[in-house]
Amino acid sequence: MKNFSPPSDPTKQPDFSRSPAATIVAKLSGRGAEETIDIPDNRFVHHMVQYCARLSSRIASASEAQSRQLSARSERAYEHAKTLLEAESEPVDPEIFGNQLAEMEATIAAVNGWTSLGASHRDEIGDYEIKLENPYRYLERAQFYKRLDADPRQDEKLGIRSNIVQLPEEPFRLVAEASKYLNKSSRLFEFSGIGLVRRHGQTGSMRLLKLEEVCRMRVRAPGLEKKAALKAWYEQNGWTRKLTRTELEERRLEARSSDRRASQLEQRAELSRSAAASLCCTGEDLRSQEMRWSALGVASSSALPMGMRFVQSAAYSSVLAAFNRVQELAGKVGVGGPEIDRIDRIGILHASAIYERWCLVRLISLLVDTFDFTPEPDWLDRVIEGTCGVLAPFELSFERSDVAMTACLEVQPVLPNGRRPDFRLTFQHRDANTGEDTHARTILGDAVEPSKGLGCGLISAGP
């Protein structure tokens, strides 16, 4: 390729008549020629080589990181399967077990300690022994029950197919709390109070026992005695329990699934390693070509030339077609264009961790944007420090001066009962005279059935 420039001495004219067969371009009067490879077409080829070299390097790096992550997950899955197969017992957390037992005892004691109604109504008081069953949705504070002091065949003769009991508000609340700790077969209650019995339903096939007032309640809780005996047994045996046959079978099935998952993860890790090795070799070849282009003095330009060389030359057109294909594939997976500079920051996060951090951002946004709270000065640094690595417990403070209220958002707090919900949000009113905070009201905390020993978050009404 030649680049023409003016000759050094334009006064000298060549003898064109003596050499008619000479190259016209080289002998034209007033023109000079100099060969160069630094033309727009080659500059664009240099750019394509640079782009592909950088893309292969970044994707290879991401593939290696992904391979390490997949291998680590595969190893954990294999270890989990091995642990499941080897385990014949499991530890019991004494603190959680003790808290559950204390909650159960307090709830049962609240029912057994209920007293109401004066002595003047003593003649109207009746005793009712019943077994509570499912709720009856068509009446407030009503549940189905079975009579323990009568023969069911008597009800059949009377055409009564079901029984319903309706309780006052506070006794119903205490009974509902106690029922959480009782199996359906052991919800045995004794009520003493003023009751009204009548037929209910369109056909009159239901008996409605409406307890207008309850003076005493008692619940038979064999589960409480069993749980107390179980606590004593755990204390003697180092707070471990043997797995049942059903649990061992469940663990065997879980181990099989974990082993299969580990195998699939290892296959994916091997594919990532193979892709990374292939891309590394390709990247080395491309970097070698890029160095040769630089050594030849060819600059790099991302501007597509306006000439016809990429259309007429088979070599140039094949290079352009391959580059367009690379860009198309990179764009489909989101690593083309400006994203190429950010590909090395791609990481693998667990879906639940992503969702948990999203919930944290939404809670902060709710407090700041919706309820006009002002966060503490260094809140952003606290959030980044607490969530970029392993999520550790930390808290953020917010304030709203116009209503004299402060809010404390705790992340991964450890509750007194041993549970660890994702978040706990506590509001406090500030006394306008003393400037001191009054009693706290928690509106975001643990909201799971206490007997299960699990944790989650719940939003409820504040003051």
Side-chain angles (χ1 to χ4, degrees), residues 342-362:
R342 298 192 294 269
I343 193 172
D344 54 348
R345 296 197 295 269
I346 294 177
I348 301 175
L349 291 176
H350 199 281
S352 63
I354 296 176
Y355 177 71
E356 190 172 331
R357 286 159 174 79
W358 177 85
C359 289
L360 174 60
V361 173
R362 292 298 299 164

Side-chain angles (χ1 to χ4, degrees), residues 2-309:
K2 298 183 178 180
N3 187 18
F4 297 102
S5 60
S8 58
D9 190 357
T11 60
K12 294 182 179 182
Q13 302 293 332
D15 190 357
F16 181 70
S17 62
R18 294 184 179 182
S19 181
T23 303
I24 296 178
V25 175
K27 299 298 183 179
L28 282 176
S29 175
R31 304 291 292 177
E34 180 182 356
E35 293 186 355
T36 179
I37 197 174
D38 188 17
I39 60 175
D41 308 84
N42 290 338
R43 293 170 192 160
F44 188 67
V45 172
H46 189 184
H47 161 72
M48 290 189 287
V49 172
Q50 278 185 333
Y51 179 92
C52 293
R54 184 170 51 173
L55 183 64
S56 62
S57 174
R58 300 295 175 83
I59 296 180
S61 176
S63 296
E64 290 177 356
Q66 185 183 50
S67 174
R68 291 192 296 269
Q69 293 278 358
L70 292 172
S71 296
R73 289 174 59 189
S74 175
E75 184 65 26
R76 288 196 296 269
Y78 276 126
E79 291 296 328
H80 181 59
K82 181 180 178 182
T83 302
L84 289 173
L85 292 175
E86 292 178 350
E88 296 182 354
S89 62
E90 67 176 4
V92 178
D93 191 321
E95 183 178 2
I96 293 178
F97 189 91
N99 291 334
Q100 292 175 354
L101 180 58
E103 291 175 0
M104 185 175 182
E105 290 174 341
T107 305
I108 300 299
V111 173
N112 293 335
W114 170 263
T115 57
S116 181
L117 195 64
S120 59
H121 301 275
R122 187 168 300 171
D123 296 337
E124 303 176 18
I125 294 176
D127 295 327
Y128 308 92
E129 296 184 12
I130 62 176
K131 174 187 173 184
L132 292 180
E133 296 183 329
N134 296 327
Y136 180 68
R137 304 295 183 185
Y138 299 98
L139 286 177
E140 292 184 352
R141 307 183 305 277
Q143 286 185 263
F144 288 101
Y145 75 92
K146 286 185 177 180
R147 299 174 64 187
L148 301 180
D149 55 354
D151 190 347
R153 289 176 294 184
Q154 296 179 359
D155 289 344
E156 294 179 3
K157 293 179 181 180
L158 296 174
I160 296 176
R161 298 182 178 180
S162 57
N163 300 287
I164 305 167
V165 61
Q166 189 175 27
L167 298 170
E169 185 174 353
E170 185 61 17
F172 178 79
R173 185 187 68 80
L174 296 176
V175 167
E177 289 292 328
S179 297
K180 295 179 181 179
Y181 301 95
L182 303 173
N183 296 326
K184 288 186 177 181
S185 60
S186 61
R187 295 177 180 175
L188 308 176
F189 289 84
E190 298 177 9
F191 296 98
S192 295
I194 300 176
L196 176 63
V197 180
R198 60 182 176 86
R199 295 280 186 133
H200 182 71
Q202 294 180 353
T203 61
S205 60
M206 292 186 285
R207 176 190 285 116
L208 174 60
L209 169 59
K210 184 176 182 181
L211 291 174
E212 297 180 346
E213 294 187 61
V214 176
C215 62
R216 287 187 304 275
M217 295 188 297
R218 184 171 181 81
V219 56
R220 304 177 196 172
L224 180 60
E225 298 176 359
K226 292 180 180 179
K227 200 171 185 69
L230 187 60
K231 179 181 179 181
W233 188 88
Y234 283 152
E235 291 174 345
Q236 295 176 359
N237 292 272
W239 288 97
T240 59
R241 72 176 187 90
K242 289 186 177 181
L243 299 174
T244 64
R245 182 178 300 178
T246 302
E247 289 173 331
L248 290 173
E249 179 63 19
E250 290 176 351
R251 287 182 173 236
R252 187 183 66 82
L253 294 176
E254 185 180 352
R256 182 189 301 174
S257 300
S258 183
D259 190 72
R260 184 165 54 249
R261 182 168 55 252
S263 177
Q264 294 173 351
L265 289 171
E266 184 57 36
Q267 291 177 6
R268 291 171 56 190
E270 182 59 33
L271 287 175
S272 295
R273 282 193 293 268
S274 176
S278 176
L279 287 168
C280 284
C281 293
T282 303
E284 291 178 0
D285 293 340
L286 291 170
R287 282 191 295 272
S288 177
Q289 292 183 35
E290 198 275 330
M291 292 176 63
R292 288 199 295 271
W293 280 110
S294 298
L296 292 173
V298 179
S300 174
S301 174
S302 60
L304 180 65
M306 301 299 294
M308 299 296 293
R309 183 169 281 105

